[in-house]
């Protein structure tokens, strides 16, 4: 009886955690749709994530993978400061994609820093679909 | 019996719900909150102790987060305000710490240092450290990466005895 109760509580907690991340991403995607974006696609998000771009400052090429690494299930590393970045994959890091404010803050910083401009709602939506699947 | 329980319930309710309701929907950001500094600014690099730079330097840095040493470190307005308040209230020229006083003594009157590593105070403390252990050391690369060698930098401690240089070990004078 007690075991069943514990099991039920654990399952509910896990479902709540999983559904709360789904809620956050869905809510964020809805705000992007309100700006005219639609048909978010993980495959397109993956291409966007992995594209290499010229960095005007260093003359080298940069990509999201430059700091986040090739394997999203492993920790990344800030190229200048060496600071370790927790894995992006929600399958490994349950904190990822659970805070809309955090998502928007880092999109703003990193798109400006890598692309030299803000990412469009379409691009952000595609990337979120890709990251959510990892 | 019921009336007593009701009174207790009301008392508990009033003392817990009202403060919660006041805080709900607003971000209570403390101006002197080291935790915010550590989580926001320590996300990419060591949260350099505020008493390493004068208030005017922190104000300058916080006013231009779009180009923060080549990176975009933009934040929401209320966080910029809170962090600026924290940094300037604990800056080197607030006379609160020995380190702050020493930093200020090493500065020219209107000097506006933005890099800790360019402070005369900093250079004096590190002038014996050879380039091959820092700039040419792939595990360190820069003096700005305090935590690469100072094993307790993240706790705000930079004692010489705590230094472990990657690939070399303890610092022996």
């Amino acid at each position: 009886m007690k075991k069943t109760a514990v099991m039920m509580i654990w399952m509910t907690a896990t479902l709540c955690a999983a559904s709360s991340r789904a809620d956050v991403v869905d809510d964020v995607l809805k705000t992007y749709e309100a700006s005219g974006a639609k048909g978010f696609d993980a495959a397109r998000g993956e291409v966007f994530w992995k594209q290499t771009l010229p960095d005007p400052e260093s003359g080298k090429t940069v990509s999201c993978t430059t700091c986040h690494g090739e394997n999203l299930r492993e920790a990344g590393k800030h190229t200048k400061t060496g600071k370790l970045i927790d894995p992006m994959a929600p399958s490994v890091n349950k904190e990822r994609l659970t805070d809309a404010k955090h998502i928007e803050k880092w999109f703003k910083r990193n798109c400006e820093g890598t692309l030299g401009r803000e990412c469009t709602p379409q691009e952000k939506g595609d990337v979120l679909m890709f990251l959510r699947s990892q | 019996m019921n009336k007593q329980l009701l009174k207790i319930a009301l008392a508990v309710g009033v003392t817990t719900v009202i403060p919660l309701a006041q805080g709900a929907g607003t971000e209570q950001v403390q101006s002197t909150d080291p935790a915010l500094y550590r989580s926001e600014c320590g996300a990419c690099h060591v949260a350099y102790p505020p008493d390493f730079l004068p208030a005017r330097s922190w104000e300058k840095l916080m006013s231009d987060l779009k180009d923060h040493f080549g990176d975009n470190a933009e934040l929401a307005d209320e966080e910029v305000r809170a962090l600026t308040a924290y940094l300037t209230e604990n800056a080197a020229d607030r006379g609160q710490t020995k380190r702050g006083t020493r930093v200020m003594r090493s500065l020219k009157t209107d000097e506006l240092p933005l890099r800790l590593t360019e402070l005369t105070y900093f250079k004096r403390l590190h002038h014996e450290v050879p380039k091959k252990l820092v700039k040419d050391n792939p595990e360190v690369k820069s003096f700005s990466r305090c935590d690469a060698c100072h094993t307790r930098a993240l706790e705000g401690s930079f004692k010489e005895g705590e230094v472990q240089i990657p690939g070399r070990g303890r610092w022996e004078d």
Side-chain angles (χ1 to χ4, degrees):
Chain A
M1 179 66 189
K2 199 175 173 188
K3 269 189 187 171
T4 318
V6 169
M7 182 73 143
M8 292 292 290
I9 290 167
W10 177 83
M11 278 178 69
T12 313
T14 315
L15 277 167
C16 282
S19 68
S20 72
R21 177 186 301 123
D23 292 340
V24 168
V25 175
D26 286 338
D27 287 344
V28 171
L29 291 175
K30 279 195 189 96
T31 65
Y32 298 159
E33 278 168 348
S35 315
K38 56 187 173 181
F40 302 115
D41 182 65
R44 202 164 47 214
E46 185 173 2
V47 168
F48 187 84
W49 182 267
K50 292 179 175 172
Q51 66 178 318
T52 52
L53 298 147
D55 177 15
E57 215 190 79
S58 68
K60 298 180 193 160
T61 54
V62 288
S63 169
C64 304
T65 58
T66 310
C67 286
H68 287 294
E70 297 291 335
N71 185 345
L72 292 178
R73 287 172 187 80
E74 290 175 354
K77 204 174 178 186
H78 194 290
T79 43
K80 283 185 197 165
T81 67
K83 186 85 199 265
L84 288 176
I85 302 167
D86 290 335
M88 287 305 293
S91 62
V92 160
N93 182 351
K94 60 183 189 326
E95 304 288 318
R96 288 298 180 196
L97 309 183
T98 58
D99 181 343
K101 210 176 155 196
H102 187 99
I103 291 169
E104 290 306 326
K105 178 176 79 179
W106 286 104
F107 262 140
K108 181 156 172 51
R109 285 178 173 182
N110 293 345
C111 288
E112 291 273 6
T114 317
L115 268 75
R117 61 165 176 86
E118 286 208 51
C119 288
T120 63
Q122 186 69 53
E123 287 164 343
K124 290 194 282 187
D126 292 337
V127 166
L128 281 180
M129 291 296 283
F130 164 60
L131 292 174
R132 181 154 77 163
S133 69
Q134 295 301 301
Chain B
M1 177 67 180
N2 277 341
K3 271 191 184 170
Q4 253 191 334
L5 271 173
L6 189 62
K7 278 184 193 167
I8 293 168
L10 267 171
V12 169
V14 163
T15 52
T16 53
V17 171
I18 288 179
L20 277 172
Q22 279 178 336
T26 58
E27 284 233 26
Q28 302 280 359
V29 182
Q30 303 296 321
S31 72
T32 52
D33 187 356
L36 183 71
Y37 179 52
R38 272 196 298 273
S39 71
E40 292 301 330
C41 307
C44 294
H45 56 62
V46 169
Y48 305 104
D51 62 350
F52 268 119
L53 289 175
R56 58 185 185 268
S57 294
W58 289 123
E59 273 162 0
K60 173 84 178 134
L61 283 164
M62 292 303 292
S63 70
D64 195 16
L65 290 176
K66 208 163 173 180
D67 182 6
H68 186 63
F69 302 104
D71 277 330
N72 184 307
E74 283 183 289
L75 282 165
D77 287 340
E78 65 267 20
E79 279 161 345
V80 173
R81 270 194 296 272
L83 288 165
T84 308
Y86 169 69
L87 290 165
T88 54
E89 281 163 23
N90 294 280
D93 48 349
R94 289 296 180 253
Q96 288 159 1
T97 63
K98 274 191 205 154
R99 176 163 61 210
T101 310
R102 287 178 192 144
V103 166
M104 292 312 296
R105 251 192 244 137
S106 78
L107 289 178
K108 298 188 188 82
T109 321
D110 293 326
E111 202 176 331
L112 189 69
L114 296 182
R115 289 183 188 270
L116 262 78
T117 52
E118 285 169 2
L119 290 169
T120 307
Y121 169 79
F122 182 94
K123 286 185 200 171
R124 272 192 216 133
L125 288 168
H126 294 82
H127 74 274
E128 288 175 342
V129 183
K131 211 172 130 198
K132 71 170 193 274
L133 290 183
V134 181
K135 290 197 170 133
D136 300 338
N137 184 340
E139 287 179 85
V140 183
K141 292 198 219 171
S142 164
F143 276 109
S144 62
R145 295 166 74 177
C146 316
D147 52 329
C149 300
H150 287 274
T151 55
R152 291 188 60 219
L154 296 176
E155 294 156 74
S157 180
F158 300 89
K159 296 191 180 124
E160 199 174 310
E162 294 160 353
V163 169
Q164 292 270 3
I165 303 179
R168 161 71 170 251
R170 285 192 57 153
W171 173 251
E172 307 285 350
D173 269 316

